[in-house]
């Protein structure tokens, strides 16, 4: 094998193997995605165009586009509400997460890892249990409500549960770590000498933040808002446990169409519509708030 | 009499128990290229950061153009910094990096454009004005960082090892360019480096720092030719130190007797009679001659041994016919450096001396003594110089005989 001849023979095979390595690495992920995303997506898409009902002998593929018309027409208010709740939760989570991530990244010192652990700690309890805990906290006979009533923050008979605020608070709480972690990661990477350079170049601490720290952490903010907004828009757990009938989100509709009404085609059409709307919203967001717009701000102004 | 550009009065900076800078006094006149030179951890960067305003002194005063800048944040100081890692803003292109300071000062758009372009022209980066820092090489980034600081016309420009990350050849070119730009703009430069050669090349004056103190402030030639302490002698160039004692001193001159027995008269620079001292001779000032074993008093022993005793002390022993002091030893190693050959000679008392012989003549180089050969070192009386022992710090390892050109790390 160590003879030059042997090496010569193995060289092309070795090169081939090296070129194949990326595909081996991609393989499991691609197969996973194909089996559990693309294939179901295809069947869902097909389902969304079927008609019929379980009672009348099942569904049939009939290019039933009216499913989509119904989805948009019948549940428009719930679409709007879903995006309003998800948007509010994202904004509030950002306002809480940015200072928190900043403090951990720049002032955390030796407590950094402990603080990060504290951010992730709620994940050790399941999503459902966490939301049920909020239900207990906000319920009509909870100490929180009676204290707020005593203080006059809440009118007699006023409630926290089954309000918009309760659902938004629940969404904010449940997705906060998804906001904190990417922002922390992008802040952590910033070379403090860049901030010193800004200070050296006549920027007050505040100006240095707006001109250097914030633009450099923009990728984390974009990632965090997407990771919060997208799952929050399709969420139904928070509205289910913390909201009333007036807080139903699009996720609740899909769930009830599927599990209660067994109207699979409508549920599938609604899911597809939700996906499309989110995709469009994300696309617009990235176009305007994505890296180039945020990062090149000053360069744009110079032109 | 104009105010000095930068003045430090008994400045001390402690980080908890660690004292980074001790009772430092400095006066840097307007327009000077002033270098803080020392090993890492000597307090040179901390000193720079005290002037920039990134650190506040725990004692003493920092004055810039006569006014005390205590408590003044960096963005209000008339100083700009060129950072070791350049610290260019990655989200801004070259033009916006350079314009950054002027924008904060609310300079008009047309003037910003003009000044930014002129400054980039000066550093030779005009063609790359729309590129991002990550598209530039280290040397190019360094030029942009320089332009970004200079465009603001600071009273004082602070440079923290700006060439540290560049390769040797690029560094040499940029050294000369930095010096040219400094002359051109006439701004006071305070330059921090651990590279003695860089300091000697560029500076008007050098402050050699060690353990938070200044050991010597002088012009480059003075620092090199007449080091004040063993530390300076060792840090600048090769530490050819021979221990001894001042036996007699009056009005600046005196008699020095080395432990090897050699005696000579020289300027003692305030070292009193009876005090211990070291004698320094620079490697290129030493002359080396092979000792013929038939006549050399010291060559009778085993030539491979480093423990050669000097001849009987007396007027004859340490003195050649022409009156030059001499000392005998044994060659330990000989290294070819290109322009010169470096020979390490072991003297009695395990003192190592480095001799640098220019490689002018191929035939002469062939005659240079090899390892183990007994040799005699001599020097002109004016080339030996006595220094005092550095306070606190041990002299740099005399056993470290790295070639002169590469002592910088």
């Amino acid at each position: 094998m160590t003879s030059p001849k042997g090496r010569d023979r193995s060289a092309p095979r070795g090169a081939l193997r090296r070129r194949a390595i990326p595909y081996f690495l991609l393989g499991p992920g691609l197969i996973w995605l194909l089996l559990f995303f693309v294939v179901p997506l295809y069947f869902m898409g097909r389902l969304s165009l079927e008609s019929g009902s379980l009672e009348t002998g099942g569904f049939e593929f009939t290019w039933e586009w009216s499913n989509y018309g119904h989805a948009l027409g019948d549940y428009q208010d719930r679409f709007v509400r879903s995006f309003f709740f998800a948007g509010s939760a994202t904004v509030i989570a950002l306002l809480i997460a940015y200072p928190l991530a900043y403090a951990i990244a720049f002032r955390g010192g030796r407590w950094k890892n402990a603080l990060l652990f504290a951010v992730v700690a709620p994940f050790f309890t399941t999503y459902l249990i966490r939301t049920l805990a909020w239900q207990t906290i906000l319920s009509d006979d909870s100490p929180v409500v009676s204290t707020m009533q005593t203080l006059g923050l809440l009118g007699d008979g006023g409630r926290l549960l089954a309000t918009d605020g309760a659902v938004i608070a629940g969404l904010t709480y449940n997705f906060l770590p998804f906001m904190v972690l990417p922002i922390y990661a992008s802040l952590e990477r910033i070379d403090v000498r860049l901030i010193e350079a800004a200070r050296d170049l006549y920027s007050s601490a505040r100006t240095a933040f707006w001109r250097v720290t914030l633009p450099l952490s923009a990728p984390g903010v974009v990632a965090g808002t997407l990771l919060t907004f997208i799952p929050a828009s399709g969420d139904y757990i928070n509205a289910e446990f913390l909201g009333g009938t007036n807080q139903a989100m699009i996720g609740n509709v899909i769930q009830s169409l599927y599990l209660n009404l067994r109207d699979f085609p409508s549920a599938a059409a609604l899911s597809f519509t939700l996906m499309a709307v989110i995709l469009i919203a994300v696309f617009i967001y990235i176009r305007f708030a994505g890296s180039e717009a945020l990062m090149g701000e000053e360069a744009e102004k110079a032109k | 009499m104009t105010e000095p550009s930068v003045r430090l009065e008994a400045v001390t900076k402690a980080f908890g128990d660690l004292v980074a800078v001790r009772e430092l006094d400095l006066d840097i006149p307007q327009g000077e290229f002033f270098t803080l030179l020392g090993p890492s951890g000597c307090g040179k960067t901390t000193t720079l950061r005290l002037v920039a305003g990134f650190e506040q002194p725990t004692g003493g005063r920092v004055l810039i153009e006569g006014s005390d800048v205590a408590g003044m944040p960096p963005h209000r100081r008339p100083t700009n910094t060129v950072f070791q890692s350049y610290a260019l803003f990655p989200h801004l292109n070259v033009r916006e990096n350079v314009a950054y300071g002027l924008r904060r000062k609310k300079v008009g758009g047309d003037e910003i454009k003009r000044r930014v372009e002129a400054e980039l022209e000066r550093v030779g980066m005009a063609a790359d004005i729309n590129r991002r820092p990550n598209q530039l090489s280290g040397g190019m980034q360094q030029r942009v960082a320089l332009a970004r600081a200079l465009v603001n016309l600071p009273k004082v420009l602070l440079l923290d090892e700006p060439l540290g990350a560049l390769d040797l050849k690029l560094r040499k070119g940029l050294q000369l360019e930095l010096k040219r730009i400094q002359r051109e703009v006439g701004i006071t430069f305070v330059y921090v480096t651990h590279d003695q050669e860089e300091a000697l090349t560029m500076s008007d004056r050098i402050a050699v720092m060690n353990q938070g103190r200044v050991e010597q402030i002088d012009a480059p030639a003075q620092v090199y030719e007449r080091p004040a302490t063993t530390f300076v002698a060792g840090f600048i160039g090769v530490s050819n130190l021979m221990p001894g004692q001042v036996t007699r001193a009056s009005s600046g001159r005196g008699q020095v007797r080395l432990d090897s027995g050699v005696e000579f008269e020289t300027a003692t620079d305030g070292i009193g009679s009876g005090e211990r001292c070291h004698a320094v001779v620079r490697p290129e000032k030493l002359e080396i001659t092979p000792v013929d074993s038939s006549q050399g008093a010291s060559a009778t022993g085993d030539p491979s041994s480093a423990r050669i005793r000097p001849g009987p002390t007396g007027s004859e022993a340490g003195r050649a016919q022409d009156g030059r002091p001499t000392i005998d030893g044994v060659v330990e190693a000989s290294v070819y450096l290109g322009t010169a050959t470096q020979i390490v000679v072991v003297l009695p008392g395990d003192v190592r001396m480095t001799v640098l012989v220019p490689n002018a003549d191929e035939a002469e180089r062939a005659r240079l003594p090899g390892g183990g050969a007994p040799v005699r070192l001599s020097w002109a009386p004016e080339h030996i110089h006595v220094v005092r022992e550095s306070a606190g710090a041990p002299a740099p390892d005399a056993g470290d005989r790295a070639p002169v050109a590469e002592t910088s790390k």
Side-chain angles (χ1 to χ4, degrees), chain A residues 3 28 46 65 84 90 110 120-121 126 167-168 177 191 245 251-252 257 259 264 270-271 277 282 290 301:
Chain A
S3 74
R46 209 182 138 84
W65 288 103
F84 169 68
T90 305
R110 60 201 179 94
V120 188
T126 62
V167 180
I168 293 171
D191 184 351
T245 43
N252 303 80
L257 282 175
L259 302 178
F264 298 154
L270 206 52
S271 299
V277 174
V282 166
K301 222 168 46 187

Side-chain angles (χ1 to χ4, degrees), chain A residues 191 193-194 196-204 207-208 211-212 215-216 292 295-296 298-299 302, chain B residues 49 54 74-75 77 79-81 83 85 87-92 96 100-101 103-105 148 152:
Chain A
D191 184 351
R193 272 168 301 198
L194 293 176
E196 281 188 349
R199 302 277 281 124
D200 189 65
L201 293 161
Y202 318 112
S203 299
S204 62
T207 313
R211 293 287 174 192
V212 177
L216 289 178
E292 273 308 304
M295 308 268 277
E298 219 158 335
Chain B
R49 292 173 62 83
F54 296 128
H75 68 280
R77 296 195 182 195
T79 59
N80 286 119
T81 307
F83 292 85
S85 52
L88 295 177
F89 303 123
H91 60 302
L92 302 178
E96 283 311 306
Y100 188 94
R103 287 204 193 284
R104 301 291 88 74
K105 285 205 287 192
R148 185 178 69 173
N152 305 296

Side-chain angles (χ1 to χ4, degrees), chain B residues 54-218:
Chain B
F54 296 128
E55 309 285 354
Q56 296 294 328
T58 38
R61 297 205 303 162
V62 177
L63 296 99
I64 297 174
E65 302 224 313
S67 51
D68 193 337
V69 291
M72 192 188 276
H75 68 280
R76 295 196 199 285
R77 296 195 182 195
T79 59
N80 286 119
T81 307
V82 178
F83 292 85
Q84 183 171 16
S85 52
Y86 322 126
L88 295 177
F89 303 123
H91 60 302
L92 302 178
N93 64 12
V94 168
R95 178 196 293 277
E96 283 311 306
N97 262 284
V98 179
Y100 188 94
L102 296 175
R103 287 204 193 284
R104 301 291 88 74
K105 285 205 287 192
K106 305 270 184 274
V107 175
D110 290 342
E111 194 189 337
I112 290 180
K113 188 169 151 58
R114 189 172 47 75
R115 281 170 70 178
V116 166
E117 283 168 9
E119 204 58 52
L120 284 169
E121 192 72 50
R122 194 209 303 281
V123 299
M125 288 295 294
D128 302 281
I129 195 159
N130 291 317
R131 295 172 80 183
R132 287 275 172 96
N134 62 8
Q135 298 172 303
L136 305 177
S137 70
M140 290 162 106
Q141 290 189 44
Q142 202 279 334
R143 288 163 190 269
V144 176
L146 186 65
R148 185 178 69 173
L150 276 178
V151 75
N152 305 296
L153 299 174
K155 300 261 167 56
V156 184
L157 185 72
L158 307 167
L159 301 102
D160 186 6
E161 308 221 12
L163 309 181
L166 304 175
D167 64 70
L168 187 67
K169 206 170 171 190
L170 196 56
R171 210 158 64 210
K172 297 258 185 217
L174 281 170
Q175 282 172 12
L176 299 175
E177 205 172 314
L178 261 180
K179 185 69 190 163
R180 169 184 69 80
I181 289 169
Q182 195 262 339
R183 276 201 212 97
E184 213 172 283
V185 296
I187 290 171
T188 310
F189 275 35
V190 182
Y191 193 95
V192 161
T193 183
H194 62 253
D195 183 332
Q196 41 108 359
E197 214 191 323
E198 199 165 286
L200 293 173
T201 311
M202 297 200 284
S203 320
D204 294 322
R205 281 194 310 155
I206 299 172
V208 184
M209 291 186 72
N210 180 28
Q211 301 197 330
R213 291 192 181 86
V214 166
E215 297 253 340
Q216 184 174 9
I217 303 180
D218 249 321

Side-chain angles (χ1 to χ4, degrees), chain B residues 228-300:
Chain B
T229 64
T230 49
F231 178 82
V232 177
F235 196 77
I236 314 265
V238 174
S239 64
N240 270 347
L241 295 171
M242 294 181 282
Q245 191 171 21
V246 175
T247 51
R248 182 168 51 76
S250 63
S251 62
R253 288 195 73 78
Q255 189 80 14
V256 176
R257 186 191 157 89
L258 298 182
D259 294 352
S260 56
V262 177
E263 281 192 79
F264 58 93
E265 202 188 289
T266 186
T268 47
D269 290 339
I271 305 175
S273 180
E275 279 188 62
R276 295 289 296 165
C277 66
H278 283 81
V280 183
V281 188
R282 290 301 181 188
E284 68 280 7
K285 303 282 165 57
L286 281 170
E287 194 172 304
I288 189 165
T289 45
V291 175
D292 188 344
S293 48
S294 64
Q295 50 170 250
S298 57
T300 47

Side-chain angles (χ1 to χ4, degrees), chain A residues 60-143:
Chain A
E60 212 177 323
F61 186 77
T62 56
W63 292 104
E64 191 67 39
W65 288 103
S66 65
N67 286 337
Y68 283 87
H70 289 305
L72 275 172
D74 298 353
Y75 306 109
Q76 205 179 5
D77 58 328
R78 258 143 298 182
F79 264 111
V80 173
R81 188 187 292 139
S82 286
F83 290 122
F84 169 68
F85 284 179
S88 305
T90 305
V91 171
I92 297 168
L94 179 63
L95 293 178
I96 296 170
Y98 201 97
L100 180 62
Y102 186 94
I104 297 173
F106 292 117
R107 302 273 185 274
R110 60 201 179 94
W111 296 104
K112 227 180 233 186
N113 287 335
L115 288 167
L116 279 178
F117 179 78
V119 168
V120 188
F123 281 131
F124 286 83
T125 322
T126 62
Y127 186 33
L128 208 57
I129 299 293
R130 275 182 281 145
T131 312
L132 285 169
W134 270 81
Q135 195 183 36
T136 314
I137 294 168
L138 301 177
S139 68
D140 294 342
D141 50 358
S142 83

Side-chain angles (χ1 to χ4, degrees), chain A residues 20 51 95 110 118 143 178 206 217 220 247 253:
Chain A
S51 61
L95 293 178
R110 60 201 179 94
F178 294 115
R206 185 192 303 228
S217 61
Q247 280 76 40
V253 178

